[in-house]
Amino acid sequence: NGDLIVTEEIQVRALNYEIRRGIFRTIPLVYRDNRNKRVRMQIEVQGLKRNGQTEPWFTESQMGGDFIINFGNDDFLDPGVHTYELTYKVNRVVRFFDDFDEIYWNVTGNYWSFPILKSGARVILPDGFEVIQQDCYTGYSGSTNRDCRHYVDNDGFLVFESELDFRPGEGITVAFAWPKGLIPEPTA
């Protein structure tokens, strides 16, 4: 149906300096499609865990169309490495072209004030989907750098991996396309 289920695994080292109670994930909700029309996605958070345990969260919207998911509560984190697992469903992410349809997705976001040492994505497509093209882009928002690689692994998943560490504000975006008609194009 065109919905995308995203599970992000984010590992952080908290030293009770900049990361005290948790982190936040900022996701832009508004983008321009291939026809330059403004599209607004909707996000439904399905769950958050920290170190395998359910973690509290709350959301807020920012002017300009950003959706912010705040992880944690008023309790201070123990210093050390923490692994978060955020799952959410997002709609209106499929871009419909004349000859193919695609998803173009910023995997990491570009709002982190910390370096990212390793990043990537594993895409699980529905049965019957054949990827006809794929690419990935790295760096600041709008960059066309390709310091990444993509391949199909032994399980048939489409995998994207960064080849460099990212400075604060940099990230990885992935794109993959399939033949037209597998997902119905929405009407006006």
Side-chain angles (χ1 to χ4, degrees), residues 97-158:
F97 292 87
D98 292 336
D99 299 328
F100 60 90
D101 299 330
E102 80 167 0
I103 289 180
Y104 183 90
W105 187 254
N106 185 319
V107 172
T108 55
N110 292 92
Y111 297 101
W112 296 106
S113 59
F114 305 103
I116 297 174
L117 303 181
K118 181 180 178 185
S119 60
R122 186 178 74 163
V123 178
I124 305 167
L125 294 169
D127 290 339
F129 273 64
E130 174 194 357
V131 174
I132 57 174
Q133 58 185 344
Q134 66 229 350
D135 214 337
C136 48
Y137 307 94
T138 57
Y140 295 106
S141 182
S143 171
T144 57
N145 293 343
R146 289 184 170 99
D147 297 311
C148 51
R149 61 190 182 119
H150 48 84
Y151 58 92
V152 176
D153 71 8
N154 293 334
D155 295 320
F157 300 133
L158 183 57

Short mmCIF file of all heavy atoms in Angstrom, two decimals, residues 97-158:
data_model
loop_
_atom_site.label_atom_id
_atom_site.label_comp_id
_atom_site.label_asym_id
_atom_site.label_seq_id
_atom_site.Cartn_x
_atom_site.Cartn_y
_atom_site.Cartn_z
N PHE A 97 7.14 7.98 -10.80
CA PHE A 97 7.67 8.52 -12.05
C PHE A 97 6.94 7.88 -13.22
O PHE A 97 6.13 6.97 -13.03
CB PHE A 97 9.18 8.25 -12.14
CG PHE A 97 9.99 9.03 -11.13
CD1 PHE A 97 10.20 8.53 -9.85
CD2 PHE A 97 10.54 10.26 -11.47
CE1 PHE A 97 10.95 9.24 -8.93
CE2 PHE A 97 11.29 10.98 -10.54
CZ PHE A 97 11.48 10.47 -9.27
N ASP A 98 7.24 8.31 -14.43
CA ASP A 98 6.58 7.76 -15.61
C ASP A 98 6.95 6.30 -15.85
O ASP A 98 6.10 5.50 -16.24
CB ASP A 98 6.91 8.58 -16.86
CG ASP A 98 6.30 9.97 -16.81
OD1 ASP A 98 5.29 10.14 -16.09
OD2 ASP A 98 6.82 10.88 -17.48
N ASP A 99 8.21 5.95 -15.64
CA ASP A 99 8.70 4.61 -15.98
C ASP A 99 8.96 3.69 -14.79
O ASP A 99 9.19 2.50 -14.97
CB ASP A 99 9.98 4.72 -16.80
CG ASP A 99 9.79 5.48 -18.10
OD1 ASP A 99 8.67 5.40 -18.67
OD2 ASP A 99 10.73 6.17 -18.54
N PHE A 100 8.98 4.23 -13.59
CA PHE A 100 9.27 3.43 -12.39
C PHE A 100 8.74 4.18 -11.17
O PHE A 100 8.34 5.35 -11.27
CB PHE A 100 10.78 3.19 -12.25
CG PHE A 100 11.59 4.46 -12.13
CD1 PHE A 100 11.85 5.02 -10.89
CD2 PHE A 100 12.09 5.09 -13.26
CE1 PHE A 100 12.58 6.19 -10.77
CE2 PHE A 100 12.83 6.26 -13.15
CZ PHE A 100 13.07 6.81 -11.91
N ASP A 101 8.74 3.51 -10.04
CA ASP A 101 8.41 4.13 -8.76
C ASP A 101 9.59 3.91 -7.84
O ASP A 101 10.34 2.95 -8.00
CB ASP A 101 7.14 3.52 -8.17
CG ASP A 101 5.92 3.72 -9.06
OD1 ASP A 101 5.87 4.73 -9.78
OD2 ASP A 101 5.03 2.85 -9.05
N GLU A 102 9.77 4.81 -6.86
CA GLU A 102 10.95 4.68 -6.01
C GLU A 102 10.67 5.18 -4.60
O GLU A 102 9.72 5.92 -4.35
CB GLU A 102 12.13 5.45 -6.59
CG GLU A 102 12.11 6.93 -6.33
CD GLU A 102 13.43 7.64 -6.64
OE1 GLU A 102 14.40 6.99 -7.05
OE2 GLU A 102 13.47 8.86 -6.44
N ILE A 103 11.57 4.77 -3.71
CA ILE A 103 11.66 5.35 -2.38
C ILE A 103 13.03 6.01 -2.30
O ILE A 103 14.05 5.42 -2.68
CB ILE A 103 11.48 4.30 -1.27
CG1 ILE A 103 10.01 3.86 -1.25
CG2 ILE A 103 11.92 4.85 0.07
CD1 ILE A 103 9.68 2.83 -0.21
N TYR A 104 13.04 7.24 -1.84
CA TYR A 104 14.25 8.04 -1.63
C TYR A 104 14.19 8.42 -0.17
O TYR A 104 13.33 9.21 0.24
CB TYR A 104 14.19 9.27 -2.56
CG TYR A 104 15.38 10.17 -2.51
CD1 TYR A 104 16.45 9.96 -3.37
CD2 TYR A 104 15.43 11.25 -1.65
CE1 TYR A 104 17.54 10.81 -3.36
CE2 TYR A 104 16.52 12.10 -1.63
CZ TYR A 104 17.57 11.87 -2.48
OH TYR A 104 18.65 12.71 -2.46
N TRP A 105 15.06 7.84 0.66
CA TRP A 105 14.91 7.95 2.11
C TRP A 105 16.21 8.33 2.78
O TRP A 105 17.23 7.68 2.59
CB TRP A 105 14.41 6.60 2.67
CG TRP A 105 14.08 6.65 4.11
CD1 TRP A 105 14.80 6.13 5.14
CD2 TRP A 105 12.93 7.27 4.70
NE1 TRP A 105 14.18 6.38 6.33
CE2 TRP A 105 13.02 7.08 6.08
CE3 TRP A 105 11.83 7.97 4.18
CZ2 TRP A 105 12.06 7.57 6.96
CZ3 TRP A 105 10.88 8.45 5.06
CH2 TRP A 105 11.00 8.24 6.43
N ASN A 106 16.15 9.37 3.60
CA ASN A 106 17.29 9.78 4.41
C ASN A 106 17.33 8.87 5.63
O ASN A 106 16.51 9.00 6.53
CB ASN A 106 17.16 11.26 4.80
CG ASN A 106 18.37 11.75 5.53
OD1 ASN A 106 18.93 11.06 6.37
ND2 ASN A 106 18.79 12.95 5.22
N VAL A 107 18.27 7.97 5.64
CA VAL A 107 18.35 6.93 6.67
C VAL A 107 18.70 7.50 8.04
O VAL A 107 18.09 7.16 9.04
CB VAL A 107 19.37 5.85 6.26
CG1 VAL A 107 19.61 4.85 7.38
CG2 VAL A 107 18.91 5.15 4.99
N THR A 108 19.69 8.35 8.09
CA THR A 108 20.22 8.82 9.37
C THR A 108 19.63 10.14 9.84
O THR A 108 19.68 10.45 11.02
CB THR A 108 21.74 9.01 9.29
OG1 THR A 108 22.02 9.89 8.21
CG2 THR A 108 22.45 7.69 9.10
N GLY A 109 19.11 10.93 8.91
CA GLY A 109 18.78 12.31 9.26
C GLY A 109 20.05 13.13 9.25
O GLY A 109 21.16 12.59 9.32
N ASN A 110 19.90 14.43 9.15
CA ASN A 110 21.07 15.32 9.11
C ASN A 110 21.09 16.30 10.28
O ASN A 110 21.71 17.34 10.19
CB ASN A 110 21.11 16.08 7.78
CG ASN A 110 21.39 15.18 6.62
OD1 ASN A 110 20.49 14.66 5.99
ND2 ASN A 110 22.66 14.95 6.34
N TYR A 111 20.40 15.96 11.35
CA TYR A 111 20.30 16.89 12.47
C TYR A 111 21.12 16.47 13.68
O TYR A 111 21.00 17.05 14.74
CB TYR A 111 18.83 17.05 12.88
CG TYR A 111 17.99 17.66 11.80
CD1 TYR A 111 17.16 16.88 11.00
CD2 TYR A 111 18.02 19.02 11.56
CE1 TYR A 111 16.39 17.45 10.01
CE2 TYR A 111 17.25 19.60 10.57
CZ TYR A 111 16.43 18.80 9.80
OH TYR A 111 15.67 19.37 8.81
N TRP A 112 21.95 15.45 13.54
CA TRP A 112 22.74 15.00 14.69
C TRP A 112 23.86 15.98 14.97
O TRP A 112 24.53 16.45 14.06
CB TRP A 112 23.33 13.62 14.42
CG TRP A 112 22.28 12.56 14.26
CD1 TRP A 112 21.89 11.96 13.09
CD2 TRP A 112 21.49 11.97 15.28
NE1 TRP A 112 20.90 11.05 13.33
CE2 TRP A 112 20.63 11.03 14.67
CE3 TRP A 112 21.41 12.16 16.67
CZ2 TRP A 112 19.71 10.28 15.40
CZ3 TRP A 112 20.50 11.40 17.38
CH2 TRP A 112 19.67 10.48 16.75
N SER A 113 24.08 16.26 16.25
CA SER A 113 25.20 17.13 16.63
C SER A 113 26.43 16.31 17.02
O SER A 113 27.39 16.84 17.55
CB SER A 113 24.79 18.07 17.78
OG SER A 113 24.38 17.31 18.89
N PHE A 114 26.37 15.02 16.73
CA PHE A 114 27.46 14.11 17.03
C PHE A 114 27.95 13.46 15.75
O PHE A 114 27.20 13.33 14.78
CB PHE A 114 26.98 12.99 17.97
CG PHE A 114 26.35 13.49 19.22
CD1 PHE A 114 24.97 13.48 19.37
CD2 PHE A 114 27.12 13.98 20.25
CE1 PHE A 114 24.37 13.94 20.52
CE2 PHE A 114 26.54 14.45 21.42
CZ PHE A 114 25.16 14.44 21.55
N PRO A 115 29.20 12.98 15.73
CA PRO A 115 29.64 12.20 14.56
C PRO A 115 28.91 10.85 14.53
O PRO A 115 28.48 10.35 15.56
CB PRO A 115 31.14 12.02 14.80
CG PRO A 115 31.35 12.26 16.24
CD PRO A 115 30.25 13.15 16.72
N ILE A 116 28.78 10.31 13.33
CA ILE A 116 28.20 8.98 13.15
C ILE A 116 29.33 8.08 12.65
O ILE A 116 29.92 8.35 11.60
CB ILE A 116 27.04 9.01 12.13
CG1 ILE A 116 25.90 9.89 12.65
CG2 ILE A 116 26.55 7.59 11.84
CD1 ILE A 116 24.78 10.09 11.64
N LEU A 117 29.65 7.05 13.41
CA LEU A 117 30.79 6.22 13.09
C LEU A 117 30.47 5.09 12.11
O LEU A 117 31.35 4.60 11.41
CB LEU A 117 31.39 5.63 14.37
CG LEU A 117 31.80 6.66 15.42
CD1 LEU A 117 32.41 5.98 16.64
CD2 LEU A 117 32.76 7.68 14.84
N LYS A 118 29.21 4.66 12.06
CA LYS A 118 28.82 3.60 11.14
C LYS A 118 27.34 3.77 10.86
O LYS A 118 26.55 4.02 11.77
CB LYS A 118 29.08 2.23 11.77
CG LYS A 118 28.72 1.07 10.88
CD LYS A 118 29.01 -0.26 11.56
CE LYS A 118 28.59 -1.39 10.63
NZ LYS A 118 28.73 -2.69 11.25
N SER A 119 26.96 3.63 9.59
CA SER A 119 25.54 3.75 9.26
C SER A 119 25.22 2.97 8.00
O SER A 119 26.10 2.68 7.19
CB SER A 119 25.15 5.22 9.08
OG SER A 119 25.91 5.79 8.04
N GLY A 120 23.96 2.64 7.87
CA GLY A 120 23.51 1.92 6.70
C GLY A 120 22.06 1.55 6.83
O GLY A 120 21.37 1.95 7.76
N ALA A 121 21.58 0.76 5.87
CA ALA A 121 20.19 0.33 5.87
C ALA A 121 20.08 -1.04 5.24
O ALA A 121 20.85 -1.39 4.35
CB ALA A 121 19.33 1.32 5.09
N ARG A 122 19.10 -1.79 5.71
CA ARG A 122 18.75 -3.07 5.11
C ARG A 122 17.28 -2.97 4.73
O ARG A 122 16.43 -2.71 5.58
CB ARG A 122 18.98 -4.20 6.09
CG ARG A 122 18.78 -5.58 5.48
CD ARG A 122 19.07 -6.64 6.46
NE ARG A 122 17.96 -6.68 7.40
CZ ARG A 122 17.71 -7.68 8.21
NH1 ARG A 122 18.51 -8.71 8.24
NH2 ARG A 122 16.67 -7.66 9.01
N VAL A 123 16.99 -3.17 3.46
CA VAL A 123 15.64 -3.00 2.94
C VAL A 123 15.03 -4.37 2.67
O VAL A 123 15.61 -5.19 1.96
CB VAL A 123 15.65 -2.16 1.65
CG1 VAL A 123 14.24 -2.02 1.08
CG2 VAL A 123 16.28 -0.79 1.90
N ILE A 124 13.85 -4.59 3.24
CA ILE A 124 13.10 -5.82 3.02
C ILE A 124 11.88 -5.43 2.20
O ILE A 124 11.02 -4.69 2.68
CB ILE A 124 12.68 -6.45 4.36
CG1 ILE A 124 13.91 -6.68 5.24
CG2 ILE A 124 11.90 -7.74 4.12
CD1 ILE A 124 13.59 -7.00 6.68
N LEU A 125 11.83 -5.89 0.97
CA LEU A 125 10.73 -5.55 0.07
C LEU A 125 9.68 -6.66 0.06
O LEU A 125 10.00 -7.83 0.30
CB LEU A 125 11.26 -5.33 -1.34
CG LEU A 125 12.16 -4.11 -1.51
CD1 LEU A 125 12.84 -4.15 -2.87
CD2 LEU A 125 11.37 -2.84 -1.35
N PRO A 126 8.43 -6.31 -0.26
CA PRO A 126 7.40 -7.34 -0.38
C PRO A 126 7.73 -8.33 -1.50
O PRO A 126 8.46 -7.99 -2.44
CB PRO A 126 6.13 -6.55 -0.72
CG PRO A 126 6.43 -5.14 -0.34
CD PRO A 126 7.91 -4.97 -0.47
N ASP A 127 7.16 -9.51 -1.41
CA ASP A 127 7.33 -10.50 -2.47
C ASP A 127 6.88 -9.91 -3.80
O ASP A 127 5.90 -9.18 -3.87
CB ASP A 127 6.52 -11.76 -2.17
CG ASP A 127 7.08 -12.55 -1.01
OD1 ASP A 127 8.28 -12.38 -0.70
OD2 ASP A 127 6.33 -13.34 -0.40
N GLY A 128 7.61 -10.24 -4.85
CA GLY A 128 7.25 -9.77 -6.18
C GLY A 128 7.90 -8.47 -6.59
O GLY A 128 7.77 -8.05 -7.74
N PHE A 129 8.59 -7.79 -5.66
CA PHE A 129 9.27 -6.55 -6.00
C PHE A 129 10.66 -6.86 -6.55
O PHE A 129 11.43 -7.57 -5.91
CB PHE A 129 9.40 -5.64 -4.78
CG PHE A 129 8.22 -4.76 -4.55
CD1 PHE A 129 6.98 -5.30 -4.27
CD2 PHE A 129 8.34 -3.39 -4.63
CE1 PHE A 129 5.88 -4.50 -4.05
CE2 PHE A 129 7.25 -2.58 -4.41
CZ PHE A 129 6.01 -3.12 -4.13
N GLU A 130 10.95 -6.33 -7.70
CA GLU A 130 12.27 -6.47 -8.30
C GLU A 130 12.89 -5.07 -8.37
O GLU A 130 12.33 -4.18 -9.00
CB GLU A 130 12.16 -7.04 -9.72
CG GLU A 130 13.48 -7.06 -10.45
CD GLU A 130 13.30 -7.31 -11.95
OE1 GLU A 130 12.16 -7.51 -12.42
OE2 GLU A 130 14.33 -7.27 -12.65
N VAL A 131 14.00 -4.90 -7.69
CA VAL A 131 14.67 -3.60 -7.71
C VAL A 131 15.36 -3.44 -9.06
O VAL A 131 16.14 -4.30 -9.47
CB VAL A 131 15.68 -3.48 -6.55
CG1 VAL A 131 16.49 -2.21 -6.66
CG2 VAL A 131 14.95 -3.55 -5.22
N ILE A 132 15.04 -2.35 -9.76
CA ILE A 132 15.63 -2.12 -11.07
C ILE A 132 16.73 -1.08 -11.04
O ILE A 132 17.50 -0.98 -12.00
CB ILE A 132 14.55 -1.75 -12.12
CG1 ILE A 132 13.78 -0.51 -11.68
CG2 ILE A 132 13.63 -2.93 -12.36
CD1 ILE A 132 12.79 0.02 -12.73
N GLN A 133 16.81 -0.30 -9.96
CA GLN A 133 17.94 0.61 -9.79
C GLN A 133 18.04 0.99 -8.32
O GLN A 133 17.06 0.96 -7.59
CB GLN A 133 17.81 1.85 -10.67
CG GLN A 133 16.58 2.66 -10.49
CD GLN A 133 16.49 3.80 -11.50
OE1 GLN A 133 17.45 4.17 -12.14
NE2 GLN A 133 15.32 4.37 -11.62
N GLN A 134 19.28 1.29 -7.91
CA GLN A 134 19.52 1.67 -6.52
C GLN A 134 20.75 2.56 -6.46
O GLN A 134 21.62 2.48 -7.32
CB GLN A 134 19.70 0.44 -5.65
CG GLN A 134 20.94 -0.36 -5.97
CD GLN A 134 20.65 -1.83 -6.13
OE1 GLN A 134 19.57 -2.28 -5.83
NE2 GLN A 134 21.61 -2.59 -6.60
N ASP A 135 20.77 3.40 -5.44
CA ASP A 135 21.92 4.26 -5.24
C ASP A 135 21.90 4.75 -3.80
O ASP A 135 20.92 4.57 -3.09
CB ASP A 135 21.91 5.45 -6.21
CG ASP A 135 23.32 5.86 -6.64
OD1 ASP A 135 24.28 5.56 -5.90
OD2 ASP A 135 23.44 6.47 -7.70
N CYS A 136 22.99 5.37 -3.38
CA CYS A 136 23.05 5.99 -2.06
C CYS A 136 23.92 7.24 -2.14
O CYS A 136 24.79 7.36 -3.01
CB CYS A 136 23.55 5.01 -1.01
SG CYS A 136 25.05 4.10 -1.42
N TYR A 137 23.65 8.17 -1.23
CA TYR A 137 24.31 9.47 -1.22
C TYR A 137 24.73 9.77 0.21
O TYR A 137 24.01 9.43 1.16
CB TYR A 137 23.37 10.55 -1.74
CG TYR A 137 22.78 10.20 -3.09
CD1 TYR A 137 21.54 9.57 -3.18
CD2 TYR A 137 23.48 10.45 -4.25
CE1 TYR A 137 21.02 9.20 -4.41
CE2 TYR A 137 22.96 10.09 -5.49
CZ TYR A 137 21.72 9.47 -5.55
OH TYR A 137 21.21 9.11 -6.77
N THR A 138 25.86 10.43 0.36
CA THR A 138 26.39 10.71 1.69
C THR A 138 26.79 12.17 1.83
O THR A 138 27.07 12.84 0.84
CB THR A 138 27.63 9.82 1.97
OG1 THR A 138 28.60 10.05 0.94
CG2 THR A 138 27.26 8.35 2.00
N GLY A 139 26.81 12.63 3.06
CA GLY A 139 27.25 13.98 3.34
C GLY A 139 26.12 14.83 3.89
O GLY A 139 25.15 14.33 4.45
N TYR A 140 26.27 16.13 3.70
CA TYR A 140 25.26 17.07 4.16
C TYR A 140 24.03 17.00 3.26
O TYR A 140 24.10 16.48 2.13
CB TYR A 140 25.82 18.50 4.18
CG TYR A 140 26.94 18.67 5.17
CD1 TYR A 140 28.26 18.78 4.76
CD2 TYR A 140 26.68 18.70 6.54
CE1 TYR A 140 29.29 18.93 5.67
CE2 TYR A 140 27.70 18.84 7.46
CZ TYR A 140 29.00 18.95 7.02
OH TYR A 140 30.01 19.07 7.94
N SER A 141 22.92 17.51 3.70
CA SER A 141 21.67 17.50 2.93
C SER A 141 21.90 18.06 1.53
O SER A 141 22.51 19.11 1.37
CB SER A 141 20.61 18.33 3.66
OG SER A 141 19.41 18.30 2.96
N GLY A 142 21.45 17.33 0.52
CA GLY A 142 21.61 17.76 -0.87
C GLY A 142 22.90 17.30 -1.53
O GLY A 142 23.09 17.48 -2.73
N SER A 143 23.78 16.66 -0.79
CA SER A 143 25.06 16.20 -1.34
C SER A 143 24.82 15.09 -2.37
O SER A 143 23.92 14.28 -2.23
CB SER A 143 25.95 15.67 -0.22
OG SER A 143 27.10 15.03 -0.75
N THR A 144 25.68 15.06 -3.37
CA THR A 144 25.65 13.97 -4.35
C THR A 144 26.86 13.04 -4.19
O THR A 144 27.13 12.21 -5.06
CB THR A 144 25.60 14.51 -5.79
OG1 THR A 144 26.72 15.39 -5.99
CG2 THR A 144 24.30 15.28 -6.04
N ASN A 145 27.58 13.19 -3.08
CA ASN A 145 28.70 12.28 -2.80
C ASN A 145 28.17 10.86 -2.65
O ASN A 145 27.07 10.64 -2.16
CB ASN A 145 29.42 12.67 -1.51
CG ASN A 145 30.14 14.00 -1.62
OD1 ASN A 145 30.37 14.49 -2.72
ND2 ASN A 145 30.47 14.60 -0.49
N ARG A 146 28.99 9.91 -3.06
CA ARG A 146 28.59 8.50 -2.99
C ARG A 146 29.64 7.68 -2.24
O ARG A 146 30.14 6.69 -2.76
CB ARG A 146 28.38 7.95 -4.40
CG ARG A 146 27.14 8.51 -5.06
CD ARG A 146 26.94 7.85 -6.42
NE ARG A 146 25.65 8.18 -6.98
CZ ARG A 146 25.47 9.12 -7.90
NH1 ARG A 146 26.48 9.82 -8.34
NH2 ARG A 146 24.26 9.34 -8.37
N ASP A 147 29.93 8.07 -1.02
CA ASP A 147 30.87 7.33 -0.19
C ASP A 147 30.12 6.21 0.53
O ASP A 147 30.04 6.16 1.76
CB ASP A 147 31.56 8.26 0.80
CG ASP A 147 32.39 9.32 0.09
OD1 ASP A 147 33.18 8.94 -0.79
OD2 ASP A 147 32.25 10.51 0.42
N CYS A 148 29.53 5.33 -0.28
CA CYS A 148 28.70 4.25 0.23
C CYS A 148 28.67 3.14 -0.81
O CYS A 148 29.10 3.33 -1.94
CB CYS A 148 27.28 4.75 0.51
SG CYS A 148 26.53 5.62 -0.89
N ARG A 149 28.18 2.02 -0.38
CA ARG A 149 28.04 0.91 -1.32
C ARG A 149 26.68 0.28 -1.10
O ARG A 149 26.06 0.43 -0.04
CB ARG A 149 29.16 -0.10 -1.16
CG ARG A 149 29.22 -0.75 0.19
CD ARG A 149 30.50 -1.58 0.35
NE ARG A 149 30.51 -2.24 1.64
CZ ARG A 149 30.54 -3.55 1.81
NH1 ARG A 149 30.60 -4.35 0.76
NH2 ARG A 149 30.53 -4.07 3.00
N HIS A 150 26.21 -0.43 -2.13
CA HIS A 150 24.93 -1.12 -2.03
C HIS A 150 25.03 -2.46 -2.75
O HIS A 150 25.75 -2.59 -3.73
CB HIS A 150 23.79 -0.27 -2.60
CG HIS A 150 24.07 0.32 -3.94
ND1 HIS A 150 23.88 -0.37 -5.12
CD2 HIS A 150 24.54 1.54 -4.28
CE1 HIS A 150 24.20 0.42 -6.13
NE2 HIS A 150 24.61 1.58 -5.65
N TYR A 151 24.32 -3.44 -2.22
CA TYR A 151 24.36 -4.79 -2.77
C TYR A 151 23.17 -5.57 -2.23
O TYR A 151 22.48 -5.13 -1.30
CB TYR A 151 25.67 -5.49 -2.40
CG TYR A 151 25.92 -5.59 -0.91
CD1 TYR A 151 25.50 -6.72 -0.18
CD2 TYR A 151 26.56 -4.56 -0.21
CE1 TYR A 151 25.73 -6.81 1.18
CE2 TYR A 151 26.79 -4.65 1.15
CZ TYR A 151 26.36 -5.77 1.83
OH TYR A 151 26.57 -5.86 3.18
N VAL A 152 22.92 -6.72 -2.81
CA VAL A 152 21.90 -7.64 -2.31
C VAL A 152 22.63 -8.73 -1.54
O VAL A 152 23.56 -9.36 -2.06
CB VAL A 152 21.07 -8.24 -3.48
CG1 VAL A 152 20.08 -9.27 -2.96
CG2 VAL A 152 20.36 -7.13 -4.25
N ASP A 153 22.24 -8.93 -0.28
CA ASP A 153 22.94 -9.91 0.55
C ASP A 153 22.41 -11.33 0.29
O ASP A 153 21.52 -11.53 -0.54
CB ASP A 153 22.89 -9.53 2.04
CG ASP A 153 21.52 -9.69 2.67
OD1 ASP A 153 20.59 -10.23 2.03
OD2 ASP A 153 21.36 -9.27 3.83
N ASN A 154 22.96 -12.31 1.00
CA ASN A 154 22.61 -13.71 0.80
C ASN A 154 21.15 -14.02 1.12
O ASN A 154 20.60 -15.02 0.65
CB ASN A 154 23.52 -14.62 1.63
CG ASN A 154 24.95 -14.59 1.14
OD1 ASN A 154 25.21 -14.31 -0.03
ND2 ASN A 154 25.89 -14.84 2.04
N ASP A 155 20.51 -13.18 1.94
CA ASP A 155 19.10 -13.38 2.28
C ASP A 155 18.17 -12.66 1.31
O ASP A 155 16.95 -12.69 1.49
CB ASP A 155 18.83 -12.89 3.70
CG ASP A 155 19.58 -13.72 4.74
OD1 ASP A 155 19.64 -14.96 4.58
OD2 ASP A 155 20.08 -13.13 5.72
N GLY A 156 18.74 -11.98 0.30
CA GLY A 156 17.93 -11.28 -0.68
C GLY A 156 17.55 -9.87 -0.28
O GLY A 156 16.72 -9.24 -0.94
N PHE A 157 18.13 -9.35 0.82
CA PHE A 157 17.83 -7.99 1.27
C PHE A 157 18.74 -7.00 0.55
O PHE A 157 19.91 -7.29 0.30
CB PHE A 157 18.01 -7.85 2.78
CG PHE A 157 17.13 -8.76 3.58
CD1 PHE A 157 17.65 -9.50 4.61
CD2 PHE A 157 15.78 -8.90 3.30
CE1 PHE A 157 16.86 -10.35 5.37
CE2 PHE A 157 14.97 -9.74 4.03
CZ PHE A 157 15.51 -10.47 5.06
N LEU A 158 18.21 -5.85 0.27
CA LEU A 158 18.98 -4.77 -0.33
C LEU A 158 19.70 -4.05 0.80
O LEU A 158 19.08 -3.59 1.76
CB LEU A 158 18.03 -3.83 -1.07
CG LEU A 158 18.62 -2.66 -1.83
CD1 LEU A 158 19.64 -3.13 -2.86
CD2 LEU A 158 17.51 -1.87 -2.51
#
